[in-house]
Amino acid sequence: MRQPYPLAHHLLCTLPLLALLAISTVCLGTGDEVTAYWRAWRQANPDTANIVQVLTDWGNPALYAVYGALFWRARRRHDPRTVRFVLTYVVVQLLISFLLVRVIKITVGRTRPGVAGPWVPFSFDGPHNSMPSGHTAEIAGACPPLAMRWKRTALSLALGGYVAAVGYSRVLLGQHHVSDILAGLLLGSLAAFVIHRITNRTAPL
């Protein structure tokens, strides 16, 4: 029989980012004031902004290494369940956090922070492909499956902090609106749910 969904561990991976978005909204707002605040912050703190840029650029590839190591070890140990877990992660992420995200970006045509003018639906122009955040969708689809696999509270919370750091870095760097991050988190959570359900159909890992 299918095991119960480990919702607590999934929530631990999403609540830190939700809390950060809520705090940001209360303290800064959700519109141009957020863009202006973080633009001024980047100008005043260029070295720290560069560190955040490294996080936003390499936050998701670091998870590729984790899944790659899992796959390599599973192949060496002849562990087909873990192989299936990693391959499911790859396929679902490609379908949801890559393909679906890009279809929505193009269809919605939302302007990025600081870009003047209205939304331009069905646009392939990067400045009009703000919603949802692809970085956030990807990291939110990668971390919860690991948390739900290992089921360790401290690790799940640490992974949640990582999701929050990568997701909010997109706002801090002026690449996305707060609502773009929320949309990315929802899509990533969908990917994580599908990954877990496919790889846990009969028994726990």
Side-chain angles (χ1 to χ4, degrees), residues 105-124:
K105 279 178 177 286
I106 292 167
T107 303
V108 172
R110 186 182 194 181
T111 53
R112 291 187 184 271
V115 177
W119 295 21
V120 183
F122 304 105
S123 172
F124 289 89

Side-chain angles (χ1 to χ4, degrees), residues 72-114:
W72 178 79
R73 188 176 67 173
R75 293 279 294 178
R76 285 186 57 124
R77 296 183 176 183
H78 306 288
D79 178 4
R81 294 180 64 78
T82 300
V83 169
R84 185 177 71 177
F85 171 71
V86 175
L87 293 179
T88 301
Y89 155 79
V90 172
V91 172
V92 173
Q93 285 283 67
L94 285 172
L95 290 175
I96 295 179
S97 298
F98 180 77
L99 182 60
L100 180 58
V101 163
R102 273 146 188 79
V103 168
I104 296 173
K105 279 178 177 286
I106 292 167
T107 303
V108 172
R110 186 182 194 181
T111 53
R112 291 187 184 271

Side-chain angles (χ1 to χ4, degrees), residues 18 29-30 39 47 65 71 74 77 89 93 98 101 128 151 157-158 177 180 203:
L18 288 172
T30 58
R39 183 188 299 118
D47 292 337
F71 184 80
R77 296 183 176 183
Y89 155 79
Q93 285 283 67
F98 180 77
V101 163
H128 294 92
K151 299 183 179 69
L157 189 57
H177 305 276
D180 300 337

Side-chain angles (χ1 to χ4, degrees), residues 10 42 53 75 86 159 164 188:
H10 196 161
R42 292 192 300 274
Q53 185 66 55
R75 293 279 294 178
V86 175
L159 287 168

Side-chain angles (χ1 to χ4, degrees), residues 3-197:
Q3 63 172 316
Y5 189 76
L7 182 61
H9 292 279
H10 196 161
L11 287 176
L12 286 173
C13 277
T14 58
L15 287 178
L17 180 53
L18 288 172
L20 190 54
L21 294 176
I23 293 169
S24 175
T25 299
V26 171
C27 296
L28 302 177
T30 58
D32 294 339
E33 62 273 22
V34 179
T35 302
Y37 178 87
W38 289 117
R39 183 188 299 118
W41 180 88
R42 292 192 300 274
Q43 292 170 351
N45 303 275
D47 292 337
T48 307
N50 288 335
I51 294 173
V52 175
Q53 185 66 55
V54 172
L55 173 64
T56 204
D57 289 341
W58 293 98
N60 278 303
L63 269 295
Y64 305 161
V66 172
Y67 278 93
L70 282 174
F71 184 80
W72 178 79
R73 188 176 67 173
R75 293 279 294 178
R76 285 186 57 124
R77 296 183 176 183
H78 306 288
D79 178 4
R81 294 180 64 78
T82 300
V83 169
R84 185 177 71 177
F85 171 71
V86 175
L87 293 179
T88 301
Y89 155 79
V90 172
V91 172
V92 173
Q93 285 283 67
L94 285 172
L95 290 175
I96 295 179
S97 298
F98 180 77
L99 182 60
L100 180 58
V101 163
R102 273 146 188 79
V103 168
I104 296 173
K105 279 178 177 286
I106 292 167
T107 303
V108 172
R110 186 182 194 181
T111 53
R112 291 187 184 271
V115 177
W119 295 21
V120 183
F122 304 105
S123 172
F124 289 89
D125 184 27
H128 294 92
N129 290 165
S130 188
M131 177 180 276
S133 165
H135 283 72
T136 306
E138 192 172 342
I139 200 70
C143 287
L146 296 174
M148 292 185 286
R149 177 184 177 85
W150 290 319
K151 299 183 179 69
R152 296 188 179 96
T153 300
L155 178 60
S156 297
L157 189 57
L159 287 168
Y162 191 64
V163 170
V166 173
Y168 199 79
S169 73
R170 305 304 290 160
V171 175
L172 193 150
L173 293 171
Q175 295 298 311
H176 285 287
H177 305 276
V178 168
S179 53
D180 300 337
I181 306 303
L182 180 58
L185 179 62
L186 292 173
L187 287 168
S189 292
L190 172 62
F193 175 84
V194 173
I195 291 167
H196 180 81
R197 278 307 195 198

